Amino acid sequence: MKPLSKKVDNIEESQTIAVSSLAMKLRAEGKDVISLSAGEPDFPTPTHVKSAAIKAIQNNFTKYTQNEGTPELREAVASKLQTENGIETTGANVLISSGGKHALFNSLQAICNPGDEVIIPAPYWVSFPEMVKLADGVPVILKTNEETGFTFTAETLRPLVTPRTKALIINSPNNPTGAVMSEDKLRGIAKLALEFDFYIISDEIYEKIVYDGNKHFSIGSIPEVRDRVITSSGFSKAYSMTGWRIGYLSANKEIIARAAKVQSQTTSNASSISQAAALEALRGDESDLEKMRKAFENRRNILIEKLSTVKGISVPRPGGAFYLFPSVKQLFGRTYDGQVISSSTDAVKFFLAKAQVALVPGAAFGSNEHVRISYAYSEKDLTEAADRIASAISWLD
Ligand code: GLU
């Protein structure tokens, strides 16, 4: 038979999704695996949001909506972005999609031509490079490390900019490191975008989840770059609405029209029911958000306290999101059951085999010396997982 798509041969499967699926399978087989793999809040969606969805179904709000999203939700998103983020935008500058991932995919399809370079700071969320490749672009990786708290500046970015640079992807707070980019650094990067004429895709899905006095700043609020920033976010993380698949973009109208064209030929509108729920999430009582943020902060503290005394891993303190990204480099060269640990994937296999804890290898995020631990799980699971990790390491040769 004729060969299948080369483009698909050239992309990786999402490791966050793959490890979560593996953990679900092992649990279904009766294995006592604690999965700290997915970035998925364990809280229920707020009750008033669920009620709005039920009401939408009862009122037969179950048909196609406008491809771009309902006018009410587009307006509500625009007004949220104006008041909370300081971004000058309107409902006509907003596209509602089926999750933040879909919104980002649409935005890259809207702007990339074959061979366009898109700069992605590493560690990065697993899907960014693959989405760039699916848009026929070329991912260009900017390495960051613990010493700078996994952040970067205009000056560290400058050497990577070429005439082919089409865009930079910023994800602050970051998945997987939890790094929060300061306003100062973002202002410097905005100047560089003007100097070299590139777009900025700002993935702000973790904006509500920040700790220790860190402040989220939206680069799209800087008037000089307003037209070249695509702000992307969604409801999954802040409102615990992962399964509803609802996210959005805000950008200049030309980009929105193109992203909407891609959407019109692929998925059409996001679910009408999820749109009704999202509207209520934005308009209704938001007190659950602060409760969830506080719970994440508490879980982060518990996990850091437990893991910081474990020899063999070193755990940086994240300023936002709900992930730890410890280095496992010190485990390299050590053995168990005749196997040598020499990569992040080996370390993940070791933790699954000997601690029955599922983590995601750092290699999937562009760093082979780390593993990602999601702490969007219950305190009970986190405490138990930390204890298991500690005792598994203590058995290593
Ligand atoms: N974004 C979450 C994560 O990184 C959910 C899974 C995914 O879409 O990657 O775990």
Side-chain angles (χ1 to χ4, degrees):
M1 283 197 282
K2 288 187 175 160
L4 303 176
S5 161
K6 283 204 180 87
K7 201 191 252 192
V8 177
D9 284 344
N10 196 25
I11 61 161
E12 302 289 332
E13 180 188 2
S14 164
Q15 283 302 305
T16 50
I17 303 291
V19 179
S20 311
S21 308
L22 173 67
M24 277 184 221
K25 184 173 160 272
L26 292 172
R27 288 177 70 87
E29 288 167 3
K31 306 239 165 63
D32 174 27
V33 169
I34 302 179
S35 174
L36 306 185
S37 53
E40 174 164 43
D42 61 328
F43 303 105
T45 299
T47 306
H48 63 100
V49 174
K50 291 193 282 197
S51 304
I54 293 166
K55 208 161 128 205
I57 295 173
Q58 284 165 342
N59 290 344
N60 295 316
F61 190 65
T62 52
K63 310 282 180 189
Y64 294 132
T65 71
Q66 290 88 333
N67 172 53
E68 291 82 356
T70 63
E72 295 81 2
L73 182 57
R74 294 174 82 195
E75 283 302 330
V77 167
S79 111
K80 175 253 179 257
L81 289 171
Q82 293 203 37
T83 45
E84 288 183 12
N85 305 74
I87 300 173
E88 262 317 307
T89 187
T90 71
N93 293 76
V94 168
L95 172 68
I96 309 296
S97 298
S98 303
K101 193 181 258 181
H102 186 214
L104 287 160
F105 177 85
N106 285 338
S107 73
L108 283 158
Q109 294 290 329
I111 65 168
C112 281
N113 288 313
D116 281 351
E117 294 176 358
V118 177
I119 303 178
I120 305 172
Y124 46 72
W125 176 46
V126 292
S127 295
F128 290 146
E130 310 315 300
M131 283 185 188
V132 168
K133 289 192 248 168
L134 284 168
D136 295 326
V138 179
V140 174
I141 306 302
L142 167 68
K143 289 238 177 251
T144 70
N145 56 36
E146 280 99 339
E147 273 135 56
T148 54
F150 294 112
T151 62
F152 61 99
T153 62
E155 288 325 301
T156 47
L157 181 62
R158 184 181 285 273
L160 271 72
V161 179
T162 75
R164 289 182 304 280
T165 303
K166 179 55 85 60
L168 161 74
I169 301 183
I170 298 176
N171 173 215
S172 173
N174 176 276
N175 173 5
T177 64
V180 180
M181 291 283 283
S182 67
E183 176 174 344
D184 216 38
K185 287 194 174 88
L186 291 169
R187 288 195 180 276
I189 289 159
K191 280 200 189 119
L192 201 74
L194 279 173
E195 188 182 334
F196 289 100
D197 184 21
F198 58 80
Y199 295 93
I200 294 168
I201 299 177
S202 183
D203 175 4
E204 305 187 6
I205 190 91
Y206 297 99
E207 65 168 316
K208 303 272 190 193
I209 307 166
V210 283
Y211 320 113
D212 304 336
N214 276 298
K215 288 217 163 25
H216 171 73
F217 179 75
S218 291
I219 193 163
S221 67
I222 302 171
E224 293 79 2
V225 290
R226 183 190 309 144
D227 276 353
R228 60 178 67 241
V229 174
I230 303 170
T231 305
S232 171
S233 195
F235 294 81
S236 293
K237 315 293 180 181
Y239 298 88
S240 204
M241 290 178 67
T242 46
W244 302 77
R245 309 312 305 129
I246 188 96
Y248 56 82
L249 294 177
S250 167
N252 80 42
K253 287 193 185 133
E254 207 184 329
I255 292 177
I256 290 297
R258 284 163 178 266
K261 199 201 271 187
V262 174
Q263 179 158 299
S264 78
Q265 293 291 18
T266 49
T267 59
S268 305
N269 62 275
S271 147
S272 57
I273 300 149
S274 298
Q275 290 191 63
L279 184 63
E280 173 59 25
L282 286 177
R283 285 186 179 165
D285 173 21
E286 293 210 329
S287 55
D288 280 345
L289 270 61
E290 180 54 13
K291 284 188 210 142
M292 291 193 261
R293 192 201 65 79
K294 281 209 173 108
F296 290 134
E297 184 163 25
N298 192 35
R299 293 167 182 193
R300 176 198 67 160
N301 296 345
I302 292 172
L303 210 50
I304 290 183
E305 199 184 309
K306 281 198 153 276
L307 292 178
S308 58
T309 54
V310 177
K311 290 207 177 77
I313 53 173
S314 77
V315 193
R317 187 182 179 85
F322 36 58
Y323 308 104
L324 295 187
F325 202 57
S327 164
V328 289
K329 208 172 137 192
Q330 292 170 66
L331 299 182
F332 291 1
R334 306 205 33 203
T335 56
Y336 70 100
D337 297 347
Q339 318 246 31
V340 186
I341 302 175
S342 53
S343 68
S344 60
T345 307
D346 292 344
V348 162
K349 283 186 188 153
F350 160 72
F351 288 124
L352 192 57
K354 293 292 162 191
Q356 295 188 301
V357 174
L359 308 175
V360 188
F365 304 91
S367 174
N368 201 23
E369 292 177 353
H370 297 83
V371 294
R372 191 188 77 170
I373 303 179
S374 165
Y375 53 88
Y377 292 92
S378 71
E379 273 178 45
K380 185 173 158 288
D381 276 359
L382 293 171
T383 312
E384 168 74 16
D387 289 341
R388 288 189 192 183
I389 288 173
S391 64
I393 291 179
S394 72
W395 297 330
L396 275 178
D397 295 331

